[in-house]
Amino acid sequence: MHTPSLTREAALALLKTYNKEPFHIQHALTVEAVMRWYANELGFGEEADYWAQVGLLHDVDFEMYPEEHCVKAQELLKEAGVADDEIYSICCHGYGICIDWEPKELMENVLYAADELTGLIGAAALMRPSKSTQDMELKSLKKKFKDKKFAAGCSRDVIKNGADRLGWELDELLSKTLAAMQASEEAIAKEYAAQVTE
């Protein structure tokens, strides 16, 4: 069984050492919550803290070291006392983009698949009058997914490849990740407010 290397407080402190932009902190908190939701949904509830920590720290190096993403992270995480297996889990979401570490475990493939998708769903929510995922339906998300100009930085190829790696139809990945964000939206907003006003 996987357990997180750091306490959540230590993981948050590490994240905030290298990430000052509110957007990056919000993304980390979103992926943390989505990974926790997936752990519980997929029957890995006892590892939910581990899945969540991998999500929280997945972009630890991205703001300060974008050209060395998933490579510099290995050094930063090791210095902070993160175990090698957790470092692998965190960094392999950059597979085929910035690193050749392939996701192996289910949790690693979920992170790979859901990371980009949370960005797309978040951007789609901001376009809604409610500014929320709560009233978003799968069909409107699919429309945004098909519009290549919308949230162009969110790689559709990675999302599709992620669904394939999980053995899921694209619709299943979209609907599950949307449900994860809907379930977590209020908690993420509270946590975000606490972290960026400190």
Side-chain angles (χ1 to χ4, degrees):
M1 185 173 117
H2 293 300
T3 53
S5 304
L6 307 177
T7 63
R8 184 167 187 274
E9 291 68 30
L12 260 176
L14 179 63
L15 175 75
K16 290 170 75 177
T17 300
Y18 299 103
N19 290 270
K20 308 298 180 194
E21 285 284 328
F23 175 80
H24 290 143
I25 292 171
Q26 184 177 40
H27 176 63
L29 294 171
T30 300
V31 177
E32 175 192 34
V34 165
M35 290 299 289
R36 181 179 296 285
W37 182 94
Y38 265 113
N40 287 308
E41 177 73 11
L42 299 175
F44 292 84
E46 73 283 2
E47 293 189 359
D49 288 344
Y50 181 81
W51 287 47
Q53 186 161 111
V54 167
L56 183 68
L57 294 175
H58 80 287
D59 278 350
V60 67
D61 62 350
F62 187 72
E63 184 176 313
M64 289 177 73
Y65 306 98
E67 301 304 315
E68 299 173 78
H69 183 38
C70 295
V71 176
K72 186 70 176 177
Q74 297 166 42
E75 179 191 322
L76 305 181
L77 293 164
K78 200 158 190 63
E79 278 172 9
V82 178
D84 289 345
D85 63 336
E86 188 171 352
I87 292 172
Y88 189 97
S89 294
I90 288 166
C91 295
C92 68
H93 79 277
Y95 176 61
I97 306 157
C98 51
I99 196 169
D100 61 2
W101 292 7
E102 186 169 0
K104 297 173 189 164
E105 297 191 19
L106 175 64
M107 179 266 302
E108 294 165 353
N109 280 298
V110 168
L111 176 62
Y112 174 83
D115 175 26
E116 294 283 306
L117 183 50
T118 62
L120 181 73
I121 293 170
L126 290 176
M127 302 296 291
R128 302 179 73 75
S130 65
K131 303 274 190 261
S132 169
T133 59
Q134 297 300 332
D135 57 354
M136 192 186 297
E137 293 179 357
L138 178 61
K139 66 172 191 276
S140 68
L141 176 57
K142 284 171 73 171
K143 201 181 282 182
K144 295 291 188 199
F145 183 88
K146 286 179 183 145
D147 178 0
K148 300 287 191 290
K149 292 195 184 96
F150 179 77
C154 298
S155 169
R156 274 55 169 185
D157 288 342
V158 167
I159 296 167
K160 283 187 212 157
N161 192 19
D164 288 345
R165 294 183 67 83
L166 288 163
W168 297 352
E169 293 294 326
L170 179 62
D171 277 14
E172 184 177 358
L173 176 63
L174 294 178
S175 60
K176 275 190 161 82
T177 308
L178 175 58
M181 287 184 68
Q182 287 169 334
S184 312
E185 186 175 284
E186 196 177 326
I188 294 165
K190 275 188 190 157
E191 184 68 55
Y192 173 70
Q195 295 307 325
V196 297
T197 54
E198 275 181 3

